[in-house]
Amino acid sequence: MQATAKEFIIALDEGTTNAKAVVLDSRGKVIVKFSQPLAIQTPRDGWVEQSGEALVTASLTVIASAVAHVGAENVAAP
């Protein structure tokens, strides 16, 4: 992908069922989105739990995909 240096911002969105990374250009236009599903456990009625390890792993996966798509040298924040 052709881009000028430091043109992109990557936003991370952690939800109940997915970890998402969104790449935005300098005008705020969405360039690409990546998503990784998250499992939830319901050990009792009314309880919902998530694995912290799975949350971190999913977050790192989508961020790595976003960086690979645009190139680390083109991301505004190190």
Side-chain angles (χ1 to χ4, degrees), residues 25-59:
D25 69 11
S26 60
R27 293 188 172 146
K29 179 183 173 194
V30 174
I31 302 302
V32 67
K33 298 178 186 179
F34 294 93
S35 181
Q36 183 76 28
L38 294 168
I40 58 171
Q41 294 80 43
T42 53
R44 298 173 84 175
D45 285 343
W47 286 22
V48 177
E49 297 178 353
Q50 287 181 302
S51 162
E53 221 172 83
L55 189 72
V56 169
T57 299
S59 298

